[in-house]
Amino acid sequence: GCGGIMRVGQLWSLAGQRVGRRLVLQHGAAQPSCPLARSLPPTLTSRHWPWTSGSSFFSTDAAAESTFVELEAQVAELKQQLSDLEDKRLSIKSDATQQARRHPTDLENEHKYGITKFAKAMLQTHDNLARASASVNKEELAKDKELKQLHSKVVQMQELVEKAFDQFKVKRMDCQDQSFDPQLHEAMFAMPMPGKEPNTIFHILEEGYSIHDRTLRAAKVGVVRGS
């Protein structure tokens, strides 16, 4: 009766679904030619089965993962480059700041001490002029007019050098009876001197000079030695 017909229909439908699935798995056909497969619902067509032969599901997923890994590596590399550039920028900025601070000091030092070597060399000329001037006594000058003229020229030259020293802040040290200072003085000998404190300068062999607040030439001195 009706029940038998319904069971036959169900069996026929089930058989058709099985055949359709087999055809899809084997051929991946979007439009199966079998009448049974045509009756399958859309969920059983090949485009809904990613593992069918006509699908690139797995290969596309692997390629996407590989591309993602490459992009991550590129991002990490770019971040490192940005970090390096930032470090360089900060280093350059720090150097520029330090240079800006040092520049005025360097200019000031150059202005003050730029002639140090020349001034130190000129001290020898000044020493020689002073020795020449002091080597002639007044009696000899009174007797010899030519000698007097020469002496006068030596004195004039000595005064010109001293004026130049004053202009560039080159000054003679006042060492007599001062306490010995190794930054300013060079002890040539030491001996006990009654009535004087130990480490006191009592004799000057060669005058010392300073340029601004630095020692240009240390004075060569004799120092009182303690008993």
Side-chain angles (χ1 to χ4, degrees):
C2 293
I5 295 172
M6 291 179 64
R7 282 195 296 274
V8 170
Q10 290 175 352
L11 291 172
W12 179 257
S13 176
L14 180 61
Q17 291 178 6
R18 290 180 178 177
V19 171
R21 289 192 184 96
R22 189 177 299 111
L23 291 173
V24 169
L25 293 173
Q26 292 177 355
H27 304 288
Q31 298 293 333
S33 58
C34 178
L36 293 176
R38 291 194 189 99
S39 64
L40 291 174
T43 56
L44 296 179
T45 59
S46 61
R47 63 190 179 88
H48 294 284
W49 293 77
W51 49 82
T52 59
S53 60
S55 174
S56 59
F57 178 80
F58 290 109
S59 61
T60 303
D61 184 67
E65 183 176 357
S66 176
T67 303
F68 181 74
V69 171
E70 291 178 0
L71 289 175
E72 280 189 328
Q74 293 177 5
V75 169
E77 183 179 358
L78 289 173
K79 285 183 177 180
Q80 183 61 44
Q81 291 178 2
L82 287 174
S83 177
D84 294 341
L85 288 174
E86 179 64 13
D87 292 341
K88 289 181 179 178
R89 185 187 71 83
L90 293 176
S91 177
I92 292 172
K93 182 179 179 181
S94 177
D95 291 343
T97 302
Q98 298 263 348
Q99 184 64 26
R101 291 175 180 173
R102 288 197 303 264
H103 186 61
T105 303
D106 291 343
L107 287 177
E108 183 180 0
N109 288 338
E110 181 65 24
H111 177 71
K112 285 183 176 180
Y113 309 111
I115 65 162
T116 297
K117 291 183 179 180
F118 177 74
K120 193 170 184 178
M122 285 298 297
L123 290 177
Q124 297 178 5
T125 301
H126 181 268
D127 292 342
N128 291 333
L129 292 172
R131 292 190 190 100
S133 174
S135 64
V136 182
N137 57 46
K138 293 181 180 181
E139 290 78 7
E140 292 175 342
L141 292 175
K143 294 177 181 179
D144 193 336
K145 292 183 179 180
E146 186 176 352
L147 179 61
K148 185 175 182 180
Q149 290 177 352
L150 290 174
H151 183 267
S152 176
K153 291 179 181 179
V154 170
V155 172
Q156 289 177 2
M157 184 63 67
Q158 184 180 357
E159 291 175 351
L160 288 174
V161 174
E162 290 176 351
K163 286 181 180 179
F165 283 171
D166 290 339
Q167 181 180 353
F168 292 99
K169 307 300 181 183
V170 176
K171 297 181 179 180
R172 184 177 63 85
M173 296 179 184
D174 184 13
C175 302
Q176 189 67 39
D177 296 327
Q178 300 294 319
S179 296
F180 177 79
D181 185 345
Q183 299 296 326
L184 305 175
H185 314 127
E186 181 180 357
M188 305 305 295
F189 63 92
M191 58 183 297
M193 292 288 292
K196 289 187 177 292
E197 292 291 331
N199 208 40
T200 301
I201 296 172
F202 71 92
H203 182 72
I204 300 173
L205 282 78
E206 184 177 71
E207 298 285 357
Y209 285 84
S210 64
I211 178 169
H212 291 280
D213 55 350
R214 294 183 182 177
T215 299
L216 180 61
R217 185 179 73 184
K220 295 181 179 180
V221 299
V223 183
V224 176
R225 184 175 60 193
S227 56

